[in-house]
């Protein structure tokens, strides 16, 4: 991995509800190298989507970034004004979300919506030029150039996601953040969208951060996988190490829980339920569900420490060193 | 071990008409289910696998008579129930149950979950309120909501998604049904909690000898629960047979595409069998074989002549004029490398 393009330092994002603060992201520290594909994997409530929103500075109220820093190419995004952030969003960091229909305006042509990106950032000098560039972006995403004239409802689910990817990479960003971009699509189309992202990454030299609940999907494409549980980063390392020899019991549980056509024909789960993040468990947040928990895990929070080429937050994993 | 036949579906069709009104836009006929035939034995699980628009959920509702078929027949435990009036259907209802995908919508938000579990016994006049409550407590315990007294008076909002799905299962199983249609019962549930839900369904199946139609878009989940798999595409079954046989040695090109596209931790770098485009709009089903515009093996004949679902070898059915040869998948994967 090259120099880091993104460095998160003790990032904390809380949602302030009437029933207390939900600690959605609670002290995450990690680096993403330029040119990497990092997948952030976790279940609902892990904080993975909030983390993605925080990097874009798009956490919706009642949530807010309450601490830590987000260094993007050396600049702390948490200190930028909204105007400064707007110049980075779309231009240097692109993003794609889960539901293509919710991200597209149903009554505007695809081309006009992509053209907005060029006009907002002052890259095109006229509407006509912006539309022409939108056509090129569509082509890059595997759609015909003249589809600039089409409306979202004329496109299939996969085609809409392609149009959104076209908008996200229109300005050739250095970093693309994709939050569950294929969850609404079937597996065959999903594979093609992943191919597209992989191709664009190569072509544009982008860094990719994929947010997903599906560790198998992550395992097929990433350079590194980060596993989150209950607002914490619990393990982070190269794909092969993570999936073939997981150190954290949650990572292991997640892999064994994932049904796999070429895996064991017996499904294992993880006992219990994820915690309420208004009152997270003491010590290690995974300890109530952990098959290996010791007395110490109940009271003391395991720090994220380096083990070989990865990071892991587990007292038991350290015994294996 | 599967026993006698509990359900036969013969040539089921269900079309929906959309639009055509003043504001409804052009009139379109959506052929949701377009000639589906299968049988199911007691104690057996048949997985209906397909993407959205394949007709799998509509098929499930048709066999339970939650929707009226346009044509075809449904035979439940030897009795033709296709046109049975609701009054005659009522005594059969407790014997056939549906479990829906989304536990948020299938429970009354204001009703205590214990009461929701007890309700079917009371509604069908099978128990007094007292007996039904006692039985509901047993079921809550059985599905792992313990201590059941604590859970009985909670409302759905006080439960997690996984716990709610347990309530839904308890509510279906309290009637000791003989046939259950489970529609994507784990797709909204976090991966780490799926195994428990699937195990619960399998345990009830064993204890009651119930037959199950398990609807899913996920072949890897189907593999874990199904004795047989039926692959659906645009309202039709394109391939059906024993689960292992289908997954290890598919005959239909669509099945092959689904199998090789399924994300896998174990076989991360495998060769995908690529097909073109996306599933068609079910109101514009292509002529001939409905899969032919996407099919890499399509022949001239496939454009004009729809293939029938026919036996390719004992126990296996495929609807294809140019099926994959025996042993194709293992060769494909071993000659692989990255696609």
């Amino acid at each position: 991995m090259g120099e880091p393009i993104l460095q998160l330092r003790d990032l904390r994002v809380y949602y302030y509800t009437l029933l207390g603060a939900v600690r959605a992201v609670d002290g995450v520290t990690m680096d993403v190298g330029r040119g990497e594909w990092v997948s952030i994997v976790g279940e609902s409530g892990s904080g993975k989507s909030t983390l993605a929103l925080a990097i874009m500075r798009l956490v919706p109220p009642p949530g807010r970034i309450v601490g830590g820093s987000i260094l993007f190419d050396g600049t702390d995004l948490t200190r930028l004004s909204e105007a400064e952030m707007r110049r980075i969003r779309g231009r240097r960091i692109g993003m794609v979300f889960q539901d293509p229909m919710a991200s597209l305006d149903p009554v505007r042509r695809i081309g006009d919506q992509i053209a907005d990106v060029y006009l907002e950032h002052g890259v095109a000098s006229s509407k006509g030029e912006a539309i022409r560039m939108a056509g090129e972006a569509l082509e890059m995403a595997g759609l015909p150039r003249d589809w600039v004239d089409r409306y979202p409802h004329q496109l299939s689910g996969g085609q809409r996601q392609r149009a959104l990817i076209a908008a996200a990479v229109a300005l050739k960003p250095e970093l693309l953040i994709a939050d569950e971009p294929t969850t609404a699509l079937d597996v065959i189309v999903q594979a093609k969208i992943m191919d597209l992202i992989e191709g664009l990454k190569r072509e544009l030299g982008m860094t990719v951060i994929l947010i997903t609940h599906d560790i198998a999907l992550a395992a097929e494409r990433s350079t590194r996988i980060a596993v989150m549980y209950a607002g914490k980063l619990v393990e982070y390392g190269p794909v092969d190490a993570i999936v073939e020899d997981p150190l954290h019991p949650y990572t292991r549980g997640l892999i064994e829980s994932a049904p796999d056509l070429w895996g064991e024909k017996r499904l294992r789960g993880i006992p219990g339920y994820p915690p309420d993040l208004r009152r997270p468990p003491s010590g290690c947040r995974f300890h109530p569900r952990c098959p290996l928990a010791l007395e110490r895990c109940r009271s003391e929070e395991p720090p994220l420490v380096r083990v070989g080429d990865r990071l892991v937050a587990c007292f038991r994993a350290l015994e294996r060193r | 071990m599967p026993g006698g036949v509990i359900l036969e579906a013969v040539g089921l069709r269900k079309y929906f008409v959309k639009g055509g009104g003043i504001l409804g836009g052009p009139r379109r006929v959506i052929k949701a289910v377009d000639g589906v035939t299968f049988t199911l034995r007691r104690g057996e699980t048949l997985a209906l696998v397909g993407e959205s628009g394949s007709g799998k959920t509509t098929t499930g509702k048709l066999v339970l008579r939650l929707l009226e078929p346009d044509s075809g027949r449904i035979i439940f435990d030897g009795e033709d129930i296709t046109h049975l009036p609701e009054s005659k259907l009522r005594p059969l209802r407790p014997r056939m149950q549906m479990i829906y995908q989304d536990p948020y919508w299938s429970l009354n938000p204001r009703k205590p979950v214990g009461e929701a579990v007890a309700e079917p016994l009371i509604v069908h006049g099978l128990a007094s309120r007292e007996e039904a409550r006692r039985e509901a407590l047993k079921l809550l315990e059985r599905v792992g909501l313990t201590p059941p007294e604590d859970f009985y008076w909670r409302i759905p909002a006080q439960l997690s998604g996984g716990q709610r799905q347990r309530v839904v299962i308890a509510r279906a199983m309290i009637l000791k049904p003989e046939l259950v249609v489970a529609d994507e019962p784990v797709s909204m549930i976090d991966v780490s909690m799926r195994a428990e839900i699937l195990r619960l369904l399998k345990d009830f199946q064993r204890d009651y000898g119930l037959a199950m139609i398990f609807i899913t878009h996920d072949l890897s989940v189907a593999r874990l629960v199904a004795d047989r798999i039926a692959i659906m595409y645009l309202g039709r079954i394109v391939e059906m047979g024993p689960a292992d046989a289908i997954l290890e040695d598919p005959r239909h090109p669509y099945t092959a595409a689904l199998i090789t596209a399924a994300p896998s931790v174990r076989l991360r770098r495998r060769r995908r069998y690529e097909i073109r485009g996306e599933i068609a709009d079910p109101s514009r089903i292509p002529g001939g074989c409905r899969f032919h515009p996407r099919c890499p093996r399509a022949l001239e004949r496939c454009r004009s002549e729809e293939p029938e679902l026919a036996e390719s070898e004992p126990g296996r059915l495929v609807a294809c004029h140019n099926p994959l040869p025996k042993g194709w998948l293992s060769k494909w994967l071993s000659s692989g490398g990255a696609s």
Side-chain angles (χ1 to χ4, degrees), chain A residues 199-273:
Chain A
L200 289 169
K201 174 183 181 295
R202 214 173 20 242
E203 208 174 308
L204 304 176
M206 285 189 306
T207 306
V208 172
I209 296 178
L210 172 72
I211 311 290
T212 178
H213 67 281
D214 186 344
I215 197 161
L217 189 67
E220 291 180 352
R221 309 278 178 169
S222 322
T223 43
R224 285 195 291 170
I225 290 180
V227 181
M228 286 187 71
Y229 183 78
K232 300 272 183 189
L233 182 65
V234 299
E235 187 164 7
Y236 186 23
V239 172
D240 289 349
I242 294 276
V243 300
E244 272 151 32
D245 181 29
L247 290 178
H248 198 287
Y250 177 66
T251 313
R252 179 173 293 277
L254 202 56
I255 292 167
E256 288 176 349
S257 301
D260 193 316
L261 279 183
W262 293 278
E264 246 189 291
K265 207 174 159 174
R266 197 174 119 232
L267 197 55
R268 273 183 267 245
I270 303 176
Y273 300 97

Side-chain angles (χ1 to χ4, degrees), chain A residues 121-138:
Chain A
H121 288 276
V123 174
S125 51
S126 68
K127 182 75 188 288
E129 190 189 4
I131 298 277
R132 190 182 51 73
M133 293 167 94
E136 285 165 15
L138 282 180

Side-chain angles (χ1 to χ4, degrees), chain A residues 44 156 192 195 240 244, chain B residues 190 264 268 270 272 275 278:
Chain A
S44 43
S156 68
K192 291 181 187 177
D195 286 349
D240 289 349
E244 272 151 32
Chain B
D190 271 326
S264 164
R268 299 200 279 293
R270 69 187 175 279
R272 270 187 359 244
I275 60 173
E278 289 177 55

Side-chain angles (χ1 to χ4, degrees), chain A:
Chain A
M1 135 206 33
E3 28 132 11
I5 187 170
L6 188 71
Q7 296 168 289
L8 307 181
R9 293 290 173 266
D10 195 28
L11 184 65
R12 275 171 289 131
V13 186
Y14 294 177
Y15 291 93
Y16 290 91
T17 71
L18 290 175
L19 297 169
V22 177
R23 302 193 227 164
V25 173
D26 205 13
V28 167
T29 294
M30 66 184 283
D31 289 2
V32 175
R34 205 175 268 279
E36 270 199 287
W37 177 318
V38 167
S39 293
I40 300 178
V41 178
E43 299 182 276
S44 43
S46 63
K48 59 187 190 301
S49 287
T50 299
L51 186 74
L53 290 170
I55 297 168
M56 301 299 310
R57 286 268 311 273
L58 290 174
V59 177
R64 84 189 145 77
I65 297 172
V66 297
S69 57
I70 302 165
L71 295 172
F72 172 68
D73 197 20
T75 305
D76 187 351
L77 300 184
T78 64
R79 294 174 181 280
L80 296 188
S81 69
E82 181 51 32
E84 289 168 318
M85 198 58 216
R86 267 201 299 272
R87 284 197 286 276
I88 288 184
R89 250 183 247 133
R91 181 166 204 142
R92 301 189 63 196
I93 308 178
M95 57 196 153
V96 183
F97 297 107
Q98 173 173 348
D99 184 356
M101 215 41 195
S103 316
L104 285 166
D105 183 341
V107 298
R108 295 182 66 217
R109 292 172 210 268
I110 297 291
D112 292 341
Q113 300 191 47
I114 300 173
D116 285 349
V117 180
Y118 297 108
L119 294 169
E120 274 163 22
H121 288 276
V123 174
S125 51
S126 68
K127 182 75 188 288
E129 190 189 4
I131 298 277
R132 190 182 51 73
M133 293 167 94
E136 285 165 15
L138 282 180
E139 205 159 50
M140 222 162 55
L143 295 176
R145 201 178 268 250
D146 57 7
W147 281 25
V148 289
D149 290 333
R150 299 211 176 186
Y151 289 93
H153 72 89
Q154 295 174 294
L155 274 56
S156 68
Q159 290 162 350
R160 283 197 284 260
Q161 198 54 283
R162 283 178 188 272
L164 282 175
I165 290 171
V169 303
L171 297 175
K172 304 188 169 53
E174 294 147 75
L175 173 63
L176 179 71
I177 300 176
D179 185 3
E180 304 268 16
T182 56
T183 304
L185 306 173
D186 75 88
V187 286
I188 293 167
V189 179
Q190 164 171 281
K192 291 181 187 177
I193 295 291
M194 286 292 146
D195 286 349
L196 171 65
I197 294 176
E198 212 164 20
L200 289 169
K201 174 183 181 295
R202 214 173 20 242
E203 208 174 308
L204 304 176
M206 285 189 306
T207 306
V208 172
I209 296 178
L210 172 72
I211 311 290
T212 178
H213 67 281
D214 186 344
I215 197 161
L217 189 67
E220 291 180 352
R221 309 278 178 169
S222 322
T223 43
R224 285 195 291 170
I225 290 180
V227 181
M228 286 187 71
Y229 183 78
K232 300 272 183 189
L233 182 65
V234 299
E235 187 164 7
Y236 186 23
V239 172
D240 289 349
I242 294 276
V243 300
E244 272 151 32
D245 181 29
L247 290 178
H248 198 287
Y250 177 66
T251 313
R252 179 173 293 277
L254 202 56
I255 292 167
E256 288 176 349
S257 301
D260 193 316
L261 279 183
W262 293 278
E264 246 189 291
K265 207 174 159 174
R266 197 174 119 232
L267 197 55
R268 273 183 267 245
I270 303 176
Y273 300 97
D276 179 348
L277 292 180
R278 287 179 301 245
R279 287 176 300 274
S282 59
C284 171
R285 290 187 178 182
F286 186 59
H287 89 255
R289 302 177 73 188
C290 183
L292 303 177
L294 303 171
E295 203 41 52
R296 184 184 182 192
C297 306
R298 295 169 197 273
S299 53
E300 203 180 321
E301 185 171 335
L304 192 68
V305 295
R306 180 165 292 283
V307 177
D309 53 2
R310 68 180 123 170
L311 297 163
V312 62
C314 174
F315 294 124
R316 300 306 307 267
L318 299 184
E319 294 167 10
R320 290 182 45 196
R321 257 203 292 197

